[in-house]
Amino acid sequence: MPVLSMRLSGERFELAGDDRAFPPLLKASPRPPERLYGVGDPSALRPGLAVVGARRATPYGRTAARRFASAAAVRGIPIVSGGARGCDAVAHEAALAAGCPTVAFLGGGCDQLYPAENAGLFQRIVDGGGAVVSERPWDFPPQPYTFRERNRLIAGLARATLIVEAGLPSGTFSTADEALAAGREVWVVPGAITSENSRGANRLLYQGALPIIDDDSFADALFLTYGCLREPEAEGGKGEGADAPLAGRAAEEALLAALAAEPLGMEELRELARAHGPAGGELPWLMVWLATAQRDGLVAQYPDGRYGPRLPALEGGRP
């Protein structure tokens, strides 16, 4: 296991679990780390999209990793991965090309870079406003077991994990397990049934993971999980980010009041959005508002498909 012992240039930080800057989403995972050691910008440790796949990735896997990581990054969603060869490295590169911060969790300490050939990539991640992070002390050498443990951190910092290629067994498949254990979304790019690299990915689809079959299905998943409608900037125009204001507090309060009175289906909600939301853009606004309201615990989707107030009995289930 060739390891490069070097110091990345950039701000170095240590975060204990009780520090205010410790990422809340990671702290809420089943087995949060006691401490994080990192190089770069600690503010990059915000909820992102984990993109993971095979180290010996096929051209199909590399293309899919680049395509979807880029699509998320241009919408302002940080990309989280493990800095490994193959799909991980491609996902980090796509985020950097989009000008979006990306976070790489290492198996060893941040002064024991692995794989060594990605040292340049790790430095670009730091220089690009992201962070290279580990739960291991700075000079801790990477060991086989530390990579399996590292996967829970990748899944823990993400609201959703996208599996591009995964064999059986594989570290990528274990990251999906960690995401499910943390109650996070698992999305999967299907692969050929004859491909060893896609056996694990296809198995996850069989078990109920969300299939990402094209750009539209990926965009829909981003809307529902991250509440963002931002598109790549074109002809000098600036898209709306995930944190852009919605149509207005009056419209939000009107929908909340209606849902408090009785559960409503999508057609009824669309009628309300037409009456109170932005003219000509009521459906995109409604989708973003529903995703945000569910994330914030204001509303929930009931088993019959209608939406209403979040009830105590639903706390353990999916909103």
Side-chain angles (χ1 to χ4, degrees), residues 72-205:
V74 296
R75 289 167 166 84
I77 300 172
I79 300 301
V80 185
S81 197
R85 305 178 183 93
C87 291
D88 287 20
V90 169
H92 289 305
E93 293 281 11
L96 291 172
C100 183
T102 180
V103 176
F105 280 106
L106 302 184
C110 291
D111 289 341
Q112 296 284 319
L113 300 181
Y114 180 85
E117 64 264 32
N118 282 353
L121 170 61
F122 296 140
Q123 187 61 61
R124 292 198 303 279
I125 288 173
V126 172
D127 295 342
V132 176
V133 190
S134 176
E135 67 176 325
R136 311 291 171 180
W138 302 104
D139 289 315
F140 193 96
Q143 303 292 331
Y145 77 91
T146 63
F147 290 96
R148 176 63 176 81
E149 288 290 294
R150 174 275 311 269
N151 292 341
R152 81 186 197 285
L153 307 184
I154 297 173
L157 189 61
R159 288 197 179 118
T161 293
L162 176 67
I163 307 296
V164 179
E165 282 187 320
L168 273 177
S170 70
T172 301
F173 197 80
S174 75
T175 307
D177 287 341
E178 296 290 353
L180 291 171
R184 312 291 165 75
E185 298 282 344
V186 175
W187 306 342
V188 177
V189 178
I193 62 173
T194 54
S195 171
E196 289 292 322
N197 272 15
S198 291
R199 287 184 63 200
N202 291 339
R203 174 60 58 174
L204 287 167
L205 290 172

Side-chain angles (χ1 to χ4, degrees), residues 15 21 31 55 59 116 121 127 198 216 226 228 236 271 294 310:
L15 297 176
R31 292 183 295 127
R55 286 175 295 173
L121 170 61
D127 295 342
S198 291
D216 288 340
Y226 295 87
C228 64
E271 288 299 322
Q294 289 181 85
R310 190 176 182 92

Side-chain angles (χ1 to χ4, degrees), residues 224-249:
L224 292 173
T225 302
Y226 295 87
C228 64
L229 280 172
R230 176 178 167 181
E231 298 292 344
E233 294 182 11
E235 299 180 0
K238 186 174 182 180
E240 294 184 15
D243 296 324
L246 300 180
R249 185 161 300 279

Side-chain angles (χ1 to χ4, degrees), residues 226-230 238-252 276-278 281 284-290 292 295-296:
Y226 295 87
C228 64
L229 280 172
R230 176 178 167 181
K238 186 174 182 180
E240 294 184 15
D243 296 324
L246 300 180
R249 185 161 300 279
E252 296 173 6
H276 300 283
W285 175 83
L286 175 62
M287 296 301 291
V288 171
W289 182 82
L290 280 173
T292 304
R295 184 190 66 201
D296 294 343

